[in-house]
């Protein structure tokens, strides 16, 4: 891995609303702030989709 490449973290979540979705959204926010590339695989719609896009 070259030094300028950011590690990628993949989150896969079926619940797109509620507690699990909030935890995944919080993790993504923290990981992006730490310089990682966070990717979310989840069904479209719901709070998780909106939060991940933001």
């Amino acid at each position: 891995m070259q030094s300028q490449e950011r590690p990628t973290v993949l989150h896969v979540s079926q619940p797109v609303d509620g507690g699990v979705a909030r935890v995944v959204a919080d993790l993504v926010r923290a990981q992006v702030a730490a310089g990682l590339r966070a990717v979310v695989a989840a069904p479209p719609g719901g709070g998780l989709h909106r939060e991940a896009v933001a």
Side-chain angles (χ1 to χ4, degrees):
M1 177 166 60
Q2 297 178 4
S3 61
Q4 68 268 24
E5 289 182 20
R6 295 181 299 165
T8 299
V9 178
L10 171 62
H11 297 275
V12 180
S13 179
Q14 177 64 36
V16 293
D17 286 307
V20 171
R22 282 192 299 273
V23 169
V24 171
D26 289 345
L27 285 170
V28 167
R29 232 181 327 277
Q31 290 166 341
V32 169
L36 300 172
R37 180 176 176 259
V39 178
V40 177
L48 179 56
H49 182 256
R50 288 187 299 274
E51 288 290 324
V53 169

